[in-house]
C-alpha cells in the first residue's frame, strides 16, 4: 500500500540506474551532464557495491605485454588495440572528472615480471609497440627494464626479464569510489542503497523496476523513462542469456614492511597475478587461473588453495627470504566471457545495459558509461 504522496512524487524518475559501482555511477553522471534537469536515481542492493568496484587492487591498467599477446589469440589486432584505447580513454575521463588528488592517482607506469617460460614474449615487444603506437602520445608503451630487477629485490634465478609499461598508473580505490559517489550526489543524483532489484519489466514504453523493501510486504515499483542496468558480473540475474560468467579474484594485504624496496604496480603470468606497494605494505591478488571453474562464482569467499599460492609467491618471488605477516584477505567478483570486450546492449524498449568489464572496470567505466548513454540517446 502506497500513499498518494509516494505515488505522485517518489516512485517515478526520468532515469533509473541499477548498480552503484564504477559503471553505474559514471552512467548516472553522464546522464546528468546530458540532461541537467532530469530526475536520476542509482539503486544498489548492498550498503556498499557488491562487485569488484570497492574490492579491486587499485590498478589503473590497460594490459600487460603477455596479457595482450594472449588476447591476440582471441581477437584481431584492431579489436585488441581498440579495447586498449578504450581503457586509456576511460582512465583519462576518470582523471578529468574527479582529479588525480581526489582519487590518489599516480602516473608511474607498471612493470611485468617475466619468468623463463615468458621470454618468447620479448620477441614481440616492438610489434606490440607498433600496434599501440596511437594510444600513448607517440611514445612506446613497453620497454625493457632489466636493470631494475635487482633494485626491486626480485630473485634473478626466477625473474629473467622485467618489462616496463609506460601507459599505466595506480590509484586509491577507496578514495576513487568516495569521490565518485560524492560527485554524483553533488550533481543532484539520488543514491539508494540496500535496495535490491528483484525484477524488471523491460517491454513497456516506460520500464518498471521492482525493489524489495524488508519493511514492506509488497515490492516497491519505480517507473522511469529509461533504465540502465550496470551490474557487471550479476547482470544475468536480471537480464539472462548473455555470454557472461562471474570470476572471483583473491587478494591479500600484508602488514607494513620495514625498508620495503618495491614501489609501483606489477603484473606477471598474463595478468593473472598483480601486486603493488600500498602505504608500505604489499597488496597481492590473482590466481584465478589455478581454478577457473571454482572461481566462476559470485560468492564472496576465500579460496584456500589460491590464497596459499599467493603466500608462496609472496615469499618466493616478491619478497624472497621474508615472511611478512598478512593483515587481511578478501575477494571480489569480476565478469568475463568468451572475449574481453565489454557488452553494451539495448535489452528492452527503453532498457540499456553495460557489463562484462573483464577485470578492467576501473579503466573502462567512464568511457563505457559515455558510450552507453550515447547509445540510449540515439533511440
Amino acid at each position: 500500500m502506497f500513499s498518494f504522496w509516494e505515488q505522485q512524487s517518489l516512485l517515478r524518475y526520468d532515469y533509473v540506474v541499477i548498480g552503484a559501482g564504477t559503471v553505474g555511477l559514471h552512467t548516472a553522471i553522464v546522464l546528468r551532464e546530458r540532461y541537467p534537469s532530469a530526475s536520476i536515481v542509482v539503486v544498489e542492493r548492498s550498503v556498499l557495491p557488491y562487485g569488484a568496484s570497492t574490492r579491486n587492487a587499485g590498478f589503473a591498467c590497460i594490459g600487460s605485454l603477455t596479457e595482450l599477446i594472449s588476447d591476440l589469440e582471441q581477437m584481431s589486432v584492431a579489436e585488441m588495440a581498440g579495447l586498449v584505447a578504450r581503457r586509456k580513454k576511460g582512465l583519462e575521463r576518470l582523471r578529468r572528472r574527479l582529479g588525480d588528488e581526489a582519487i590518489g592517482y599516480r602516473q608511474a607506469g607498471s612493470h611485468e615480471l617475466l619468468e623463463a617460460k615468458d621470454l618468447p614474449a620479448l620477441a614481440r615487444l616492438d610489434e606490440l609497440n607498433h600496434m599501440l603506437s596511437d594510444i600513448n602520445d607517440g611514445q612506446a608503451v613497453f620497454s625493457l627494464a632489466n636493470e631494475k630487477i635487482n633494485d626491486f629485490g626480485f630473485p634473478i634465478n626466477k625473474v629473467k626479464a622485467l618489462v616496463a609499461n609506460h601507459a599505466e598508473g595506480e590509484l586509491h580505490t577507496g578514495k576513487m569510489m568516495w569521490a565518485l559517489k560524492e560527485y554524483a550526489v553533488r550533481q543532484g543524483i539520488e543514491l539508494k542503497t540496500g535496495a535490491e532489484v528483484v525484477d524488471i519489466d523491460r517491454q513497456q514504453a516506460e520500464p518498471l523496476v521492482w525493489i524489495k523493501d524488508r519493511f514492506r510486504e509488497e515490492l516497491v515499483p519505480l517507473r522511469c523513462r529509461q533504465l540502465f542496468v550496470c551490474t557487471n558480473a550479476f547482470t544475468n540475474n536480471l537480464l539472462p542469456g548473455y555470454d557472461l560468467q562471474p570470476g572471483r579474484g583473491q587478494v591479500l594485504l600484508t602488514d607494513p614492511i620495514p625498508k620495503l624496496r618495491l614501489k609501483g604496480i606489477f603484473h606477471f603470468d598474463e595478468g593473472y597475478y598483480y601486486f603493488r606497494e600500498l602505504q608500505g605494505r604489499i597488496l597481492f591478488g590473482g590466481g584465478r587461473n589455478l581454478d577457473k571453474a571454482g572461481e566462476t562464482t559470485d560468492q564472496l569467499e576465500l579460496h584456500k588453495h589460491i590464497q596459499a599460492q599467493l603466500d608462496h609467491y609472496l615469499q618466493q618471488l616478491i619478497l624472497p627470504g621474508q615472511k611478512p605477516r598478512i593483515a587481511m584477505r578478501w575477494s571480489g567478483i569480476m565478469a568475463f566471457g568468451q572475449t574481453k570486450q565489454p557488452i553494451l546492449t539495448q535489452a528492452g524498449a527503453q532498457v540499456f545495459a553495460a557489463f562484462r568489464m573483464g577485470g578492467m572496470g576501473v579503466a573502462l567505466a567512464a568511457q563505457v558509461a559515455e558510450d552507453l548513454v550515447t547509445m540510449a540517446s540515439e533511440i
Side-chain angles (χ1 to χ4, degrees), residues 259-273:
K259 299 180 180 179
L260 181 63
R261 295 164 66 177
L262 292 175
K263 296 292 181 183
I265 64 174
F266 302 82
H267 316 261
F268 65 94
D269 197 4
E270 297 182 4
Y272 280 112
Y273 293 90

Side-chain angles (χ1 to χ4, degrees), residues 36-51:
S37 60
S39 55
I40 304 169
V41 64
V42 179
V43 295
E44 167 60 45
R45 64 175 175 169
S46 179
V47 174
L48 299 174
Y50 195 74

Side-chain angles (χ1 to χ4, degrees), residues 280-343:
R281 310 165 183 253
I282 292 293
L283 186 155
F284 181 27
R288 184 174 60 89
N289 55 328
L290 295 176
D291 183 9
K292 283 190 176 181
E295 292 296 83
T296 302
T297 177
D298 61 6
Q299 300 302 303
L300 288 174
E301 297 174 352
L302 297 179
H303 189 301
K304 291 183 179 179
H305 173 61
I306 295 177
Q307 287 283 341
Q309 185 63 36
L310 294 180
D311 290 342
H312 171 78
Y313 274 130
L314 180 65
Q315 296 177 25
Q316 300 298 319
L317 182 68
I318 301 172
L319 298 170
Q322 300 184 52
K323 292 186 177 181
R325 293 183 57 183
I326 306 303
M328 61 183 73
R329 303 177 189 266
W330 69 87
S331 63
I333 309 298
M334 301 169 284
F336 301 93
Q338 294 300 309
T339 79
K340 292 185 179 179
Q341 299 287 353
I343 294 177

Side-chain angles (χ1 to χ4, degrees), residues 96-117:
R96 287 196 302 269
R97 179 165 285 149
L98 300 178
D100 288 356
E101 184 176 356
I103 63 176
Y105 184 86
R106 196 164 72 98
Q107 180 71 38
S110 69
H111 292 88
E112 179 176 14
L113 287 66
L114 302 187
E115 298 182 81
K117 65 180 177 61

